[in-house]
Structure formats: structure tokens, C-alpha cells
């Protein structure tokens, strides 16, 4: 293994790409610690020192920003606007025929879709930065807390000061998007995925240190062992796939013979990735957000009953009802997302066009029905796996008292394992091009 790693750094082109990627990551992490204008960084640090303040509604977004959101830094929004814009554009392909046409046009059409995604990212960044500044100005960024420092996060409440903060955070999102595209073009791996990986990994040391301090070395060691087991299981499932054999008939074009090959269609157990977890978290976030803006007591000094019910069961994530709803939403969204990203009819038509068929299945509609049957059956264990992994940080939250960004579970481990595997495969492919021997064996 060490000789393979040494080969990576002995290859000038690969070494240059890795150095460029690491440089962008350093700049990204540096920006996450630079506060926006008119932010009282002392009060922000005091509020962050209380771990209970980081378990509020914005914990998922804070996880994706590497902790920059609650610090109100210039990169406070992180990659979340780009992720949301990408998902929206992908879903609009089902609704708007023009988007689907652009997607099928190849590189030129997909470049247009990428441009639309950039515009939507900036629009969402404007909206989210306005919301973040408004919430910080109202003193509700860290939830309902008795600390006076958490309600005085800004040093200037003037409209022009807030406008400058909004412009700064939106510009930070645009800069992150540019960083990600630079890494994709000139570095190693997918730029946006690597920045998400960096944001999540940056919180690991502090989370593990918190567990050690609050629960002792024995619990810390237990968490490490459980983490190794979870990572191994996630790698196993993420690499698992059902291979459907496909044969291509021989055909004559002039004097040359084409086809006659055997291949397969790989259908992964987890085709949806981490998107269903994000969907479910966002949907459960909506009732808590509505309840947060209806906390005003009535004439009798009591809060509305439905607000109390939401605060008790759908806010902190420590109740079995929340776990059940979260799990069912993830299962439902997994089926929904797989249905819109994998079209068995299109796959069957493409196979028929090039003379391909599944042994024992007729081409055309029977092939599409067979693919749909296999996809439905294999998505069930994939959705259950996603739901169980996503519940790990919620269970840790109620048993260990860890924060909702618990290191070994949920969204964080799914993203880190997926990005890590993909990046290692890209390095392996580039090594094989130059040395005929890759990083993996």
C-alpha cells in the first residue's frame, strides 16, 4: 500500500493535481473561519461553546457548511444552495420537457443545464442569506436560549449593514461554486463532493473530543469501534449491485461485423445516494420552522397546543415518533428518487436500438417490465439501509448526548464513504494509465 501511495507522489501530473486540490481545500476551510461584516464573533463563539445550541433546526445545514453557518462566516451557506439547485434542476427534468431535451442533447445541452443550476444557486443563496441574517438579527439562530450573547450576534442592525452581509454571503457561495468547478477541471475527483467531504470531516475531531470529555475514554473507544463497523457495512452496501446480463446480437455493417458481445446492467442497491435523507430532513424541518415563528403566548400566557406538540415530538429528534416518520419518509423518497432517475423504458428502448437483449426476456416492453420488477425489489433493502443508517445519529443523540452531527452515522458517513470511494477510484484509474498498476488490487 505504501509503495502505491509513493507512486502517486512520484507521478508529476498526479502530484500537481493533488496539490492543487489540497490548496483549494485549505482556502475553503480558511473562508469558513472568516466572519461576515458586523458579526460579533466573541458572542458567536460563546454561544457555540454550549453544545446544546448546536442541536437546533439548522444542524444539517451547519454540518454541510463545516460549522461555518452558525459562525456567520463569509462561507456560512456552504454548498447547500448548490446541492438544492442541482436537485431542483434534476426534478424539473420530469416536469419541464425542455430540460429533458437539453439533458439528452449531450455535452452542449448539459452545459446549458449547468448554467441554469448556477443561476438558481445564486438566487437560492440570496434567499437563504436573507433568512439567515434575519434569524440572527432576531436572536433565534441558536434557538430559544436564555443567554444574552446569543441574542446579540450583530454589531449593527442598520439596513445597509444587513444588505452588506447578504451580499457577502451570496458572493461566498459563488466563490465556493467556482472552487468546486476548478477542482473538477484541474484537480482530483468531483469538486463539490470533495468540499462536502471536507466540511463534514472538519467536524470529526471536535465531535470526538466532546464525546471523550463528556463520556470518558471507554465510551470514546466504543464509538471508534462502532464507527469502524459502520464504515465497513456502508462500504459493502455502497459497492453492492445486481448485474443484469445483456447480450448484443451480431450485425453486419458493410464488410464488418459488430456486436456479439456480452455485458451487464449494474443496478446498485443504493441508487439514490444520500438525496432521500436530505429530502426527509428538509420535510421534517418545515413543521418545526412554522412552530418556531408561532411561539408567542396568548392572553392566558400559553402557547398554542399544536405548537407545543410539534416542539415535543418533531423538533429535537429524540422521540420514537420522529424516528418513525423520518424512516418512512426516507423509504418513500428513495422509491421516488430512483423512479425519476432510472427510466426502465428508456433503457429498454436503447438496448433494442443497438440489438441488445436480456437472455430469456423479449426486447421492448417485456424488458422494461422486467427491469422495473428488479428495480422495485432491489430498492427495498436499499431504502431500509438508508433509513437505518440515518437513524444512527438520532439514537446517539438520545443515548450518548452527542450532537446531531454525530460523526459515525447518517448523512455524514454516507457522504464521506461515497466520496472517498469515488476519489480513490479516480486516482487508481489515473495510476493505471501511467504505470499499468493501480492503487487498488
Amino acid at each position: 500500500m505504501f509503495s502505491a501511495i509513493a507512486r502517486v507522489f512520484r507521478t508529476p501530473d498526479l502530484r500537481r493535481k493533488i496539490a492543487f486540490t489540497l490548496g483549494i481545500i485549505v482556502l475553503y476551510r480558511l473562508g469558513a473561519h472568516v466572519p461576515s461584516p458586523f458579526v460579533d464573533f466573541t458572542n458567536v463563539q460563546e454561544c457555540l461553546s454550549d453544545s446544546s445550541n448546536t442541536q437546533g433546526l439548522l444542524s444539517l445545514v451547519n454540518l454541510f457548511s463545516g460549522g461555518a453557518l452558525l459562525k456567520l462566516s463569509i462561507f456560512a451557506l456552504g454548498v447547500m444552495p448548490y446541492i438544492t439547485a442541482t436537485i431542483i434542476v434534476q426534478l424539473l427534468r420530469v416536469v419541464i420537457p425542455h430540460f429533458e431535451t437539453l439533458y439528452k442533447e449531450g455535452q452542449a445541452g448539459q452545459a446549458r443545464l449547468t448554467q441554469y443550476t448556477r443561476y438558481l444557486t445564486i438566487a437560492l443563496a440570496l434567499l437563504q442569506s436573507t433568512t439567515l441574517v434575519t434569524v440572527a438579527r432576531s436572536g433565534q439562530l441558536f434557538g430559544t436560549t436564555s443567554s444574552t450573547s446569543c441574542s446579540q450576534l450583530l454589531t449593527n442592525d442598520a439596513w445597509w449593514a444587513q444588505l452588506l452581509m447578504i451580499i457577502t454571503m451570496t458572493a461566498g457561495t459563488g466563490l465556493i461554486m467556482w472552487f468546486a468547478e476548478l477542482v473538477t477541471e484541474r484537480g482530483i475527483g468531483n469538486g463539490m463532493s470533495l468540499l462536502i467531504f471536507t466540511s463534514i470531516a472538519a467536524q470529526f475531531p471536535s465531535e470526538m473530543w466532546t464525546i471523550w470529555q463528556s463520556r470518558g475514554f471507554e465510551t470514546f473507544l466504543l464509538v471508534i469501534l462502532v464507527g469502524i463497523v459502520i464504515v465497513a457495512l456502508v462500504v459493502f452496501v455502497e459497492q453492492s449491485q445486481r448485474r443484469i446480463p445483456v447480450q448484443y446480437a451480431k450485425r453486419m455493417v458493410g464488410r464488418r461485423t459488430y456486436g456479439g458481445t456480452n455485458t451487464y446492467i449494474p443496478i446498485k442497491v443504493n441508487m439514490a445516494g444520500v438525496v432521500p435523507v436530505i429530502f426527509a430532513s428538509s420535510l421534517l424541518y418545515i413543521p418545526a420552522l412554522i412552530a418556531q415563528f408561532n411561539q408567542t403566548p396568548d392572553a392566558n400566557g400559553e402557547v398554542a397546543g399544536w405548537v407545543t406538540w410539534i416542539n415535543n415530538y418533531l423538533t429535537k429528534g429524540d422521540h420514537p415518533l420522529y424516528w418513525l416518520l423520518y424512516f418512512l419518509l426516507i423509504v418513500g423518497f428513495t422509491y421516488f428518487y430512483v423512479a425519476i432517475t432510472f427510466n426502465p423504458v428508456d433503457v429498454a428502448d436503447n438496448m433494442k436500438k443497438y440489438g441488445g437483449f436480456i437472455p430469456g426476456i423479449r426486447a421492448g416492453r417485456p424488458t422494461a417490465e422486467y427491469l422495473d420488477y428488479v428495480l422495485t425489489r432491489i430498492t427495498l433493502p436499499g431504502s431500509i439501509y438508508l433509513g437505518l443508517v440515518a437513524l444512527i445519529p438520532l439514537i446517539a443523540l438520545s443515548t450518548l448526548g452527542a450532537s446531531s452531527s454525530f460523526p459515525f452515522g447518517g448523512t455524514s458517513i454516507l457522504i464521506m464513504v461515497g466520496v472517498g470511494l469515488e476519489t480513490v477510484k479516480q486516482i487508481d484509474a489515473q495510476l493505471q494509465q501511467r504505470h499499468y498498476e493501480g492503487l487498488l488490487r
Side-chain angles (χ1 to χ4, degrees), residues 17 426-438:
K17 289 184 176 182
Q426 288 203 21
I427 296 175
D428 180 68
Q430 298 217 15
L431 272 179
Q432 286 184 351
Q433 289 178 359
R434 295 165 174 83
H435 299 284
Y436 302 103
E437 186 176 355

Side-chain angles (χ1 to χ4, degrees), residues 372-390:
D372 184 63
Y373 170 76
V374 172
L375 190 66
T376 304
R377 285 170 63 94
I378 204 170
T379 303
L380 179 62
S383 61
I384 294 175
Y385 147 79
L386 271 181
L388 292 177
V389 173

Side-chain angles (χ1 to χ4, degrees), residues 174-189:
L175 189 59
I176 290 172
M177 191 165 51
W178 183 57
F179 281 169
E181 292 181 358
L182 282 179
V183 171
T184 304
E185 291 175 6
R186 302 173 56 185
I188 288 289

Side-chain angles (χ1 to χ4, degrees), residues 11-124:
T11 307
D13 185 38
L14 201 54
R15 184 174 65 242
R16 196 160 45 244
K17 289 184 176 182
I18 293 176
F20 180 81
T21 303
L22 292 176
I24 293 292
I25 288 174
V26 169
L27 289 176
Y28 173 65
R29 288 307 303 160
L30 181 64
H33 293 281
V34 177
S36 298
F38 308 109
V39 171
D40 192 332
F41 198 64
T42 305
N43 287 353
V44 170
Q45 289 293 99
E46 185 178 335
C47 293
L48 286 173
S49 62
D50 185 1
S51 61
S52 63
N53 290 334
T54 61
Q55 299 173 7
L57 300 173
L58 302 172
S59 57
L60 179 66
V61 187
N62 190 54
L63 175 67
F64 281 163
S65 67
L69 178 78
L70 295 179
K71 293 177 183 177
L72 295 174
S73 72
I74 59 173
F75 289 169
L77 301 180
V79 297
M80 206 61 184
Y82 186 84
I83 294 174
T84 309
T86 305
I87 294 173
I88 290 174
V89 171
Q90 199 167 17
L91 293 177
L92 286 178
R93 282 171 39 202
V94 184
V95 181
I96 302 176
H98 177 62
F99 278 29
E100 184 66 22
T101 305
L102 286 175
Y103 180 76
K104 292 180 178 179
E105 282 183 0
Q107 187 174 0
Q110 292 181 15
R112 290 282 300 279
L113 286 178
T114 303
Q115 197 68 17
Y116 292 154
T117 304
R118 292 171 184 160
Y119 294 147
L120 186 57
T121 300
I122 297 301
L124 288 173

Side-chain angles (χ1 to χ4, degrees), residues 116 130 282 356 365 375 397 435:
Y116 292 154
T130 304
S282 302
R365 183 177 175 182
L375 190 66
L397 177 64
H435 299 284

Side-chain angles (χ1 to χ4, degrees), residues 244-250 260-264 351 354-359:
I244 300 177
V246 178
Q247 294 182 359
Y248 285 90
K250 292 183 179 179
T261 58
N262 296 328
T263 182
Y264 59 86
M351 288 171 54
Y354 295 103
F357 63 93
I358 299 174

